[in-house]
Structure formats: structure tokens, C-alpha cells
Amino acid sequence: MITAEQNRLLTQVGPGTAMGGMMRRFWLPVCTSAQLPKPDCPPLHVRLLGENFVAFRISSGEVGMLEEYCMHRRASLVLGRVEDNGIRCLYHGWKFGVDGTVQETPNHCDDRFKASIRAPAYPAREAGGLVWAYIGPQELQPPFQPYAFFDGHDANRCIFRVNTPANYLQLYEGGTDSSHVGILHCNLANPDWKDKASFVPDASDYSSVAMAVGDNAPDIDLENTPYGFHYAARRDGPVLDDGTTTDSVRVTAVILPTGRIIPIAQYQFFIFEVPQDDFKTSTYIVAHGPKPFDRAKMRVVLGLNNEKLWTERDSEYLATPENRFGQDVSRMGETWSGLEGLVPEDASIGVSMGPIVERHKEMLVAADSAVVRLRNRLLDSLKLHGAGKNPLGLSITDYSKVRSLADTNVAKGKRWQELLPDNLGNTQDIKTKELAGI
Ligand code: FES
Ligand SMILES: [Fe+2]
């Protein structure tokens, strides 16, 4: 059971909060590369951990991020002109480089003045189709941590951003909660919920039933890792020709403070729940695989094709209590949820819980074990950070081999962890502590 005070600790992310401080120690995604599509394109407002910034791409193609409000008299630089390798404030024309260098101050022509000041700029870089920034203490800037989806051709990634009006933790918890999958997403994961005769398993690339499983109450094996934890949903697998009995395992990796990797047979989903503030979250969904994606088909798979609820234009998820969280009750004879698709089902449930879940009023059961583990690992990480040590995961220099595992048969009694040695779950406790900086 979580207390109201622990709930506050876990969910408040603004400046000066414990969670906000811990999250600020990491490079975080701030927008997609596609949102800054070309050099000198219009700048973009970024809201991150309760603060406002402007992201922009200069003439050279490099990306930058500054505090939103101009250092002169605080006009928003989101209105600015991006030109000639800098961003120019519309009000009096002060112009800034990506590193905060003051390039021009047209209403105060004094070169020494210009050289003596610097705009608040934050380290920013681009990788894996996302723009990342670091807004923590300058002296503690960590190395940039690469993920597997950074590799390969851009076409082998398909990225969606969904801005949902709910606290990050309830969305993150949904992402580690196996027991909802066969229920909330049963049109996809348990498609015979209504008419058993109609379901034909299909693991093809854009199949809406690629996640389907017969048994929707698997055993859950959890194991801590230096960056959070990973867990296997374990079901009875087939008996092999030689008589070996097997478990079918599906492994998800949870990479604090915002990430997870979800397995699908043909590709992996890397998902980051990045708080804009306490009440709103930018979810970045990166599908990554060995061949190019058809974006239109991926939109259908994810349920992002209903423009009443989400558009590519601004990424806003539009469920509210007033529109019944986007639910179409007239469709509930043929679909389970009346929401159609993975993302709307998860996002609308997240919004329906209210901006911040009152966790001290919950009634948890054993099936919530991964959700409880997520909270405990976030609290572990806060403790480390509070003690002046590296939060969980910050000491990992490379995430590119950490991965999830789609349904795989493992001989009963054999440890599934051995299939994923680079997830670091096999690490002895003492080593785990070392890696975590404890
Ligand atoms: S407020 Fe930006 S130049 Fe004056
Ligand atoms: Fe879900």
C-alpha cells in the first residue's frame, strides 16, 4: 500500500521536487525529429518537468534548446525567427545560438555587452528520430545513453508522440501491467472474447492480433536490474518432440525513469513516458525493426487513425470526461472497449483515472506485482539520488543491448534470464549495487 506522501513523491516532477530532481539527471526526449523537419523551420514549444523551453533547428541542421522566455524582456522565443544559425526574438531582435551565445542585440549595439552575457541554453542532441535534452545540473551532465533503436536506417523506425492529460506514472504503470492486456485490449490480445470460432492467430507484420495469447493470466517473474527491472509473463508452452516440457515466456524491460521495451514478434516498441508537468505526459512510441515500416498501417495497429482523438499535427490526445474519454458506446457490441486500438485504450484509461491517481485508495491484488515493483524501484532511485548517489540506471553507459523478448519457448526449469544476459538481470546482487552506484 502506498501512502499519500509517497504518492506525492512519485508523481510531482516540477523544479525542486524529489522526482523532478531525479529525472533531471537524465537525457530525456523533448520532441520528435519530425517536429523540427528542416533547417530554419519554425521553433517548437517544449514543456518538460513543469518548465517551458523552445527547441529549434538552425541553418546547419543542428538542434538547440533554450529557456522559452527571452533573456531581454521575456517574450516567448516560440514566436521567434530561426535564421542564419540562430534564433531571433521577434520583439527587439536579440539573436541566440544553440549554445546560448548572444549573436546580436540590435537595440543595444555594444559588442562587449553581447560577449558578457549568455542565454540559458541546454545541451540538446538528436538520435533515433528523437531530440533529447539535458536540463539537470551542468556539472552532473551524464554521458548520452544509446538504445538499440538508434541503429539502422530511419525507415526502420516508426515514431509516434501522444500528449495525454494525465500524470506520467499512471501511464507508466499501465505499461508494466500485464493483467490488463487480455481484458482492456481483448480485441487485440484475446480476439475470441466474443465469438471463439472467429479467431485465427496471425503474427504478420501489421496484424492487429499479433499480441494474441490463449492464456491471459500468466505467472509473472520479476527481477531487478541496475536500471529498474525486467519481468517475464510465463505460460505453459508446448511439449517438444523429444518430450521436453516448456514455458512460453514474454519479457519486458523497464528502464527508469521513463522507459520500457515491449516485445512484438517482428519488432520492438521502445516507449518513454516523459512528464510535461504533473498533469500531462508526452508518450514517445518508437517501433523499431529489421525492415522499413508502413506508417499508415502502424497508425491503424496502434489505433491512432481516429482523428477525433489524435492527429499527427499536434500530437494531442483529446479524451476528456466531457467526450466520455473518446468512447463510442454504440460500438461496444462489436468491440470490447468502444475505443478501438491499443493507444486510445491505454490513454483513455489513464485520463479516466483523473490527473493524478489517488493511490492510497487503491485495492491492489497479486496481479499488480509489476506495478508495485515499478513504484518501489522509482522510490529506490529517489533514495539513491537523495543520498547524493547516481539514480538507478544513470551509471549504465550503453542501453543498446537491453531488450525485450517476444513469446519464446524455454524448457521448464531453465532460467529465461539466460536468454537476455545483456539485460544485466543475472548480475549478482553485489554487482547490481555497484552498477547502480550504491
Ligand atoms: S524581449 Fe526578446 S529581444 Fe526584447
Ligand atoms: Fe495497455
Side-chain angles (χ1 to χ4, degrees):
M1 170 64 85
I2 203 163
T3 64
E5 176 53 26
Q6 284 173 318
N7 200 33
R8 271 192 292 279
L9 267 179
L10 285 164
T11 54
Q12 294 182 348
V13 296
T17 62
M19 184 60 74
M22 190 273 273
M23 287 195 176
R24 277 168 173 77
R25 298 286 308 278
F26 292 82
W27 286 85
L28 296 169
V30 296
C31 64
T32 66
S33 294
Q35 289 185 288
L36 295 172
K38 54 181 201 253
D40 297 337
C41 61
L44 189 75
H45 174 245
V46 168
R47 182 140 174 94
L48 178 65
L49 301 176
E51 296 187 79
N52 295 306
F53 306 91
V54 61
F56 54 104
R57 187 188 295 282
I58 57 173
S59 321
S60 68
E62 199 181 341
V63 292
M65 191 167 93
L66 300 177
E67 185 186 302
E68 176 182 357
Y69 304 105
C70 174
M71 67 185 299
H72 174 222
R73 287 199 16 239
R74 312 290 290 164
S76 172
L77 292 171
V78 174
L79 294 171
R81 302 173 61 91
V82 184
E83 53 195 16
D84 197 14
N85 282 320
I87 184 168
R88 187 186 296 281
C89 178
L90 216 52
Y91 202 1
H92 311 92
W94 288 28
K95 181 164 168 269
F96 311 102
V98 289
D99 60 354
T101 308
V102 181
Q103 298 171 342
E104 293 177 35
T105 51
N107 66 345
H108 187 74
C109 298
D110 174 348
D111 283 345
R112 274 173 313 173
F113 171 71
K114 237 176 20 194
S116 69
I117 56 173
R118 209 173 183 87
Y122 299 87
R125 57 191 294 173
E126 205 167 8
L130 296 172
V131 176
W132 304 72
Y134 173 75
I135 63 167
Q138 220 176 351
E139 67 285 4
L140 295 176
Q141 184 181 324
F144 189 65
Q145 299 168 305
Y147 288 84
F149 69 88
F150 290 7
D151 298 335
H153 197 274
D154 284 355
N156 295 5
R157 277 189 301 268
C158 197
I159 302 181
F160 296 92
R161 173 177 177 175
V162 183
N163 301 329
T164 304
N167 182 265
Y168 84 98
L169 186 56
Q170 58 221 52
L171 303 177
Y172 203 6
E173 288 171 349
T176 64
D177 167 14
S178 292
S179 76
H180 83 276
V181 176
I183 315 292
L184 174 64
H185 303 310
C186 70
N187 268 73
L188 299 169
N190 188 16
D192 57 357
W193 64 276
K194 191 156 174 275
D195 173 12
K196 287 189 186 304
S198 65
F199 171 47
V200 181
D202 175 2
S204 60
D205 285 8
Y206 300 103
S207 164
S208 62
V209 292
M211 288 168 51
V213 285
D215 165 12
N216 283 297
D219 289 333
I220 300 292
D221 292 349
L222 292 146
E223 184 178 56
N224 284 351
T225 61
Y227 48 80
F229 64 101
H230 62 172
Y231 69 92
R234 196 162 43 78
R235 304 172 168 90
D236 282 335
V239 179
L240 304 183
D241 288 347
D242 63 0
T244 310
T245 53
T246 65
D247 283 331
S248 171
V249 296
R250 180 182 287 187
V251 182
T252 300
V254 179
I255 302 175
L256 301 190
T258 69
R260 65 187 183 272
I261 313 177
I262 305 284
I264 303 283
Q266 308 81 353
Y267 40 82
Q268 305 217 319
F269 282 115
F270 294 77
I271 304 177
F272 300 91
E273 306 288 359
V274 184
Q276 291 194 16
D277 51 37
D278 294 353
F279 309 110
K280 193 163 180 186
T281 304
S282 291
T283 303
Y284 295 91
I285 303 167
V286 183
H288 179 243
K291 57 185 179 183
F293 282 96
D294 180 327
R295 187 173 180 83
K297 288 184 180 165
M298 275 307 285
R299 274 186 71 169
V300 176
V301 169
L302 293 172
L304 288 172
N305 50 333
N306 176 359
E307 300 231 324
K308 283 193 190 138
L309 284 179
W310 181 89
T311 62
E312 296 269 15
R313 193 185 61 254
D314 61 11
S315 309
E316 297 293 306
Y317 190 66
L318 301 172
T320 63
E322 291 68 36
N323 67 13
R324 213 186 157 83
F325 310 107
Q327 186 185 48
D328 179 354
V329 288
S330 71
R331 301 269 291 124
M332 290 177 77
E334 50 205 291
T335 75
W336 167 262
S337 65
L339 285 157
E340 308 229 20
L342 274 179
V343 175
E345 285 168 345
D346 285 331
S348 286
I349 287 288
V351 178
S352 80
M353 298 166 126
I356 299 182
V357 170
E358 295 182 291
R359 289 179 176 76
H360 61 286
K361 295 182 178 172
E362 292 171 332
M363 178 71 63
L364 297 179
V365 295
D368 299 310
S369 59
V371 170
V372 171
R373 184 66 63 102
L374 173 63
R375 297 171 185 176
N376 287 340
R377 293 303 272 162
L378 283 165
L379 290 169
D380 286 346
S381 194
L382 287 185
K383 244 182 247 159
L384 285 168
H385 179 244
K389 300 180 175 161
N390 271 351
L392 289 178
L394 199 69
S395 304
I396 308 281
T397 51
D398 185 354
Y399 277 128
S400 62
K401 293 198 169 62
V402 175
R403 63 192 183 96
S404 59
L405 185 70
D407 299 354
T408 301
N409 297 324
V410 181
K412 277 197 192 290
K414 189 170 158 67
R415 281 169 54 80
W416 53 266
Q417 289 90 336
E418 288 169 19
L419 300 174
L420 299 152
D422 295 316
N423 279 13
L424 305 172
N426 281 324
T427 326
Q428 291 304 308
D429 218 13
I430 183 81
K431 188 89 189 286
T432 304
K433 286 178 177 169
E434 245 169 55
L435 282 163
I438 299 176

